[in-house]
Amino acid sequence: MTDEENGRDPHRGPSPGQTPREWFAGLLRAHIEERGGGSYEELVVATEQAHLRVAKSTLGDALSGKRTPRLETVQNLVTALHHRQGLPGRPELRDWERDYEHLLDLQSDRRTGTRSAADARAASEGRTWPRRFGPLPEPAHSFLARPALRVPPGPGRFLLTGAGGVGKTQTAAEHVRECLLAGDLDLVVWVTATTREDIVAGLAEAAAELTGSTGPNAELTAARLERWLAGTRRTWCVVLDDLARPQDLEGLWPPHSTNGVTLVTTRRQDAALQARGTVIDLTLFDAHESLAYLTSRLGTHHTPPEALANLADDLGHLPLALAQAATLLLDNEMSPAEYRTRLAREGARLADLVPDGALPDGYPLPVSATWALSVRRADELRPSGVAGPVVHVLSLLDGTGVPGELLATPALSALAPHPSKAAARDEVHDAVHNLRRLSLLSVDTTATAPRAAPDSGAGPVGALAGKAIRIHSLTQHATRDLLDPPERRAAAGSAAQALVEGWRAPQLPARLDRALRANAFALAGHAQDELLTPVPHPVLYRMGHSLGDSGQASAALRHFRRLREVVDARFAPDDEISLDTRGHLAWWLAKAGDPAGAARAYASLYADQDRLYPSDHPSLLQTRQSAAVWQGAAGDPHAAVTELKYLYELRSSLGRAADRDTISNRNHLANFLSASGDHAGALALHEAAWREAEARLGPDHPDALRARSAAMHHRGELGDVASALAALRDLLEVQQIDDPEGLDTFATRARIADWTGREGDPAQAVALLGSLLVDRLRVIGPEHPHTLGTRMDLARWRTAAGEPARAATELTELLADEEELLSLDHPALPVTRAALTDALEKIRHR
């Protein structure tokens, strides 16, 4: 029978009046007839003979068009018919896979009708329905369906509650897979919900693509998803996995909808949370379920059921403990009796390991003993002795996603004792995959775009770059419980140093920066004492600066305030560590919008350093300079000029004219001379710097070009705009070759746009700033202060270019975002309000 005769043309699809399922069922029936036909019973026998059993009820549903079969069911049936005819090898299944994909598309289109423009655009970019956001967890080995605890078909909200390790996440994932395979879902949004930041990030990613609208405020973008879900005709399921705090979902709950299902997995039992939806309480396995699970994994041919039942009793019927034990038994060819003997010999009965009172995080039973045996087995595999130290480090990091790049840092490569650095990296890579083999962690290949790991070189470790290592919080907790103090100190030190080394990678992508930051905060939560003893580890400061540099200056300020409290409790006020921490805090006071507070903080710090350091100490002079700079930024440029001039003359008299601090001093002095109206004085300083740089480095060196640009800025202020623009364009030409997406390159583009507008071409300034805004949104994100500043400049030049109405709209949106992201006394807010007033005034006078 030909493809045309049996209807195997996927482009033809269903006949008029025929459903997609009926069409596909016809394909299957025609194929069966072509392969010799047979009753349902005969077909079931054929699948059993091929060791690919398909249930009679499943077969009936598929061939009648009552339900959409699983792809696996179709593949097993076709393979069984192939073998029944005595044909060699395996059948060609690619055509069936294409037909099956076409079936899912037909079902999606049938439910939703004509496609929207957004759907058409998504399809043209290869993003067809059904759509998925967030990685769906891999199926558990021998997943045990629990009919009494199944998620109803919906619609509605369902809360999957219970202790850690009982299978909440896998139950939710299995429900989603079943709905996808049945063709009942168009959209799945899977979000890790351990923190509000994670929830916002996951929902915002889906909202940005589905609505086509993004903004500088991730929370507002995330909230748009609720409106889209409420209005769509498509069927959807949002999974909020491992919700730690109910209040983290305030304002972000998916809507009640006839088209949608919301699944929340959580250990929390709060009444207010349970009132949000139907509660499905997942408990420990009962004796029958434990036996069914172990039988499916281990079989009963050489293992009597009573031995499996005894093993389940010893493990407390905790699903995660059973899974770990089954993996160890299979990998080590160990009998349940031998396992129980070793468990007893270790003195590791779970009941004996339960501490007094409730366990943290609501764990009903510890699995430390099971975990110890599993890790020991991984540690015995080649390379011997590496898996243990690796998992010790992973237990202190962010279990939802440790970036694979960390495994290639020198700090973590050192966990393998091999003298060759390349071989050590290979051994760490192998240890990670040994842990994966024993189901102790997973490697997510969809986490980030691939990139070279720091100092990775060639070899297997490079394969981990761009991937996320995920380890369950229960596993982490069990591991941490087993660490003795020296092991904990060693693991914390390795993790902290690896994070610092990870941050040193050139051209660090924003996604990797976020992952490093999340892991640093997880580490600080698990090992604060270790990170503060004997002195604070640099990672405690680097993580705070990463937070602020990402645009979250207020959060960085809160971090350094907490860090100062901890440092002050451990170190004397005059200790260099305490003084240094105060300096970091003062910096973020300024960056969070309080330059006056920063000036006072630096002045106070200077007073204390002045008692301890000699008058020409570099740190003392630098603190005094910072106090002057922020005093000037707070509105007193004349006082800043006086202080900076004194410091510049002092440093020059000490023979430090070429020092970086002195050069910085001179630049700040010139800038505040300009702010005070003395452009000629500022020009003289910067021209001198320019001539010095040219003489030392040559006229085409980037540093010389920067110095020339700074000098020409003041010539522009004095009326020579052409010179200012020429210098900036020469500088930009070099920067775009060396670092086209660097912050300095973007800053030069912004200055060119500003001078272009000031030269009398506001329309061209608008064009330049529009292009810059696109790049800054892409590279540094919508919340970064530079991005917000670009939006302000763009709107201001729109007003000048004759578009005050559009400028007013953009400034109104910008002001709302700034009030949300910045402190209410941030200096950017009055600037934006003034620009909005100017735009509105222009509209009134038209």
Side-chain angles (χ1 to χ4, degrees), residues 173-188:
E174 185 67 11
H175 172 77
V176 170
R177 289 188 200 98
E178 288 179 353
C179 291
L180 285 170
L181 287 171
D184 295 334
L185 268 184
D186 294 320
L187 171 67
V188 177

Side-chain angles (χ1 to χ4, degrees), residues 596-726:
R600 291 191 296 272
Y602 276 119
S604 173
L605 176 59
Y606 172 77
D608 290 333
Q609 289 176 325
D610 194 31
R611 293 185 291 100
L612 304 169
Y613 300 155
S615 60
D616 61 348
H617 193 283
S619 295
L620 181 67
L621 299 182
Q622 192 61 29
T623 300
R624 186 170 178 178
Q625 174 181 310
S626 296
V629 166
W630 293 114
Q631 184 180 11
D636 193 352
H638 296 286
V641 166
T642 301
E643 274 287 276
L644 292 169
K645 186 177 292 185
Y646 167 79
L647 287 170
Y648 179 58
E649 292 171 352
L650 174 61
R651 281 167 161 155
S652 298
S653 69
L654 293 171
R656 302 175 185 171
D659 288 0
R660 293 182 64 87
D661 288 347
T662 306
I663 293 171
S664 170
N665 188 156
R666 180 170 60 189
N667 289 337
H668 284 300
L669 174 58
N671 291 335
F672 281 110
L673 281 170
S674 177
S676 303
D678 185 2
H679 296 297
L683 175 60
L685 281 175
H686 273 143
E687 280 196 326
W690 169 29
R691 299 305 179 190
E692 290 172 9
E694 274 195 334
R696 189 174 69 257
L697 303 169
D700 296 326
H701 191 280
D703 287 348
L705 291 172
R706 288 188 188 92
R708 176 191 169 205
S709 173
M712 293 305 100
H713 169 82
H714 300 295
R715 282 197 182 177
E717 294 291 353
L718 292 169
D720 188 0
V721 176
S723 293
L725 273 171

Side-chain angles (χ1 to χ4, degrees), residues 428-511:
V428 169
H429 170 274
D430 292 345
V432 168
H433 283 282
N434 286 339
L435 293 164
R436 178 190 58 78
R437 286 171 55 194
L438 273 74
S439 301
L440 302 174
L441 56 78
S442 63
V443 179
D444 181 2
T445 60
T446 63
T448 62
R451 61 172 272 108
D455 189 35
S456 63
V461 166
L464 290 176
K467 300 176 183 177
I469 298 164
R470 305 189 189 279
I471 179 168
H472 195 282
S473 60
L474 181 64
T475 303
Q476 290 182 296
H477 181 80
T479 304
R480 291 193 299 270
D481 283 351
L482 296 174
L483 296 178
D484 60 31
E487 287 174 329
R488 195 179 188 92
R489 285 193 297 273
S494 295
Q497 187 59 30
L499 289 164
V500 171
E501 291 167 355
W503 262 308
R504 289 175 185 162
Q507 298 298 318
L508 191 71
R511 185 185 295 270

Side-chain angles (χ1 to χ4, degrees), residues 198-219:
D198 288 337
I199 296 169
V200 168
L203 296 179
E205 179 186 5
E209 184 167 328
L210 292 169
T211 67
S213 175
T214 60
N217 187 322
E219 294 228 4

